[in-house]
């Protein structure tokens, strides 16, 4: 976030500022991480400082081990108007940080609301990509040291070879879920393809929209995902997902909230036999796994709808109270000069 007078003015004049980010309020163990966190939340802090209502929407929170990280994150969360963590673990962490219950509402990941856009099953798209049914989708994201990346890719390649050799599926689609310049998946996906070196493996690097990805995943027998939102897209489409837990506890939190914690595997060092057994159980009874998946995703979608309704009601109350307060004590802040008339100090900032 690079502040300018125009951007700051919009924050002050806004009726509401919503921070939508799943992986902000987490442990930052080094100075660079703390600075990154502060720059990311600066718009929210600025809005708080000038009395604009603020909401943290669909966020992973904690766990915290670093004291500075916990203090900074806790301070922001205690001062925003409403906090909506996206899983039970995050809600518990928010309570531990001192967020009042009346300003806390647990919700599933908001990506589950994409279900209403319709992820229709399609036999055409897999055929266009040269995929033979039944096929499994695989998404690859790697973090950590080179040693950790190589260990993960080696183990994943060995597991997927067993999946093919046991004929759990006929084909694997290695899907590049995110192809951004920074932290993109193409390099890691290519490295996995090289390790597998099998004609039954197809690299899919098309620039698909979320809806197109859901169409593709809906046709898969299952997905093996190290991108959390590829797993969520698959679940939304009714396809079972085995997910690797990357970036702290956010994957465990999301899958715990769905009752699917047995489908989560550790990263980067996972037991290949456990991974193969988990995949085999899903593949051998795909009908039952799909029913469980569909029920979990539908429940999550309904809970997101309820959370949005709760947010709407909360925001209406906040804005009504803010309107009454502004009528009683009008602000006298000049964003161009950055000064506030001392004789008419806005009471909304008195808590600071």
């Amino acid at each position: 976030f690079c502040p300018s007078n125009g951007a700051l003015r919009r924050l002050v004049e806004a009726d509401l500022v919503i921070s939508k980010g799943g992986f902000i309020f987490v442990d930052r163990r080094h100075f660079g991480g703390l600075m990154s966190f502060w720059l990311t939340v600066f718009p929210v802090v600025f809005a708080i400082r000038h009395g604009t209502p603020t909401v943290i929407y669909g966020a992973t929170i904690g766990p915290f081990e670093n004291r500075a990280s916990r203090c900074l994150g806790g301070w922001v969360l205690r001062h925003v108007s409403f906090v909506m963590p996206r899983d039970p673990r995050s809600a518990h962490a928010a309570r531990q940080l001192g967020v009042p219950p009346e300003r806390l509402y647990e919700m599933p990941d908001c990506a589950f609301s994409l279900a209403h856009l319709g992820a229709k099953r399609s036999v055409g798209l897999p055929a266009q990509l040269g995929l033979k049914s039944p096929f499994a989708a695989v998404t690859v994201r790697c973090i950590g040291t080179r040693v950790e990346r190589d260990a993960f890719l080696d183990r994943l390649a060995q597991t997927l070879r067993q999946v093919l050799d046991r004929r759990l599926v006929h084909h694997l689609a290695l899907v590049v879920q995110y192809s951004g310049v920074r932290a993109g998946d193409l390099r890691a996906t290519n490295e996995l393809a090289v390790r597998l070196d099998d004609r039954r493996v197809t690299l899919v690097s098309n620039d698909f929209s979320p809806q197109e990805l859901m169409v593709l995943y809906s046709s898969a027998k299952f997905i093996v995902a190290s991108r959390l939102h590829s797993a969520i897209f698959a679940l939304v489409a009714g396809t079972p997902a085995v997910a690797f837990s990357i970036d702290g506890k956010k994957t465990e939190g999301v899958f715990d909230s769905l009752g699917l914690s047995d489908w989560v595997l550790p990263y980067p060092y996972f037991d290949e036999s456990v991974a193969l057994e988990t995949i085999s159980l899903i593949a051998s009874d795909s009908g039952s796994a799909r029913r469980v998946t569909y029920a979990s995703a539908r429940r999550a979608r309904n809970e997101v709808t309820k959370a949005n309704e709760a947010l709407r009601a909360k925001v209406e109350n906040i804005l009504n109270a803010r309107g009454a307060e502004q009528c009683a004590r009008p602000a006298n802040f000049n964003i161009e000069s950055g000064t506030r008339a001392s004789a008419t100090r806005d009471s909304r900032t008195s808590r600071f």
Side-chain angles (χ1 to χ4, degrees), residues 258-281:
L258 299 170
L260 302 176
S261 57
D262 289 345
W263 292 357
V264 178
L265 299 169
Y267 173 96
Y269 304 109
F270 64 92
D271 188 320
E272 297 159 60
S273 63
V274 172
L276 185 60
E277 181 182 3
T278 302
I279 294 171
S280 298
L281 288 173

Side-chain angles (χ1 to χ4, degrees), residues 201-244:
V201 176
T202 297
L203 178 66
V204 180
S205 59
N206 306 56
D207 187 16
F208 286 135
S209 69
Q211 290 72 37
E212 289 169 326
L213 285 169
M214 284 191 284
V215 169
L216 175 61
Y217 296 155
S218 72
S219 300
K221 191 171 185 178
F222 55 84
I223 185 173
V224 178
S226 50
R227 272 278 176 194
L228 174 58
H229 280 90
S230 67
I232 292 177
F233 288 176
L235 294 171
V236 164
T239 298
V242 176
F244 290 96

Side-chain angles (χ1 to χ4, degrees), residues 28-39 66 68-69 72:
R28 314 277 180 156
R29 301 186 180 185
H30 306 289
F31 178 77
L34 292 171
M35 287 301 299
S36 175
F37 168 76
W38 182 250
L39 291 173
N66 180 275
S69 184
L72 275 174

Side-chain angles (χ1 to χ4, degrees), residues 1 3-18 41-48 50-54 322 335:
F1 179 77
S4 65
N5 274 354
L8 297 178
R9 184 188 304 113
R10 285 191 290 272
L11 288 170
V12 172
E13 295 175 350
D15 293 317
L16 178 70
V17 172
I18 297 180
V41 299
F42 176 78
V44 175
V45 174
F46 188 86
I48 293 170
H50 293 286
T52 304
T54 50
R322 187 185 187 214
I335 190 66

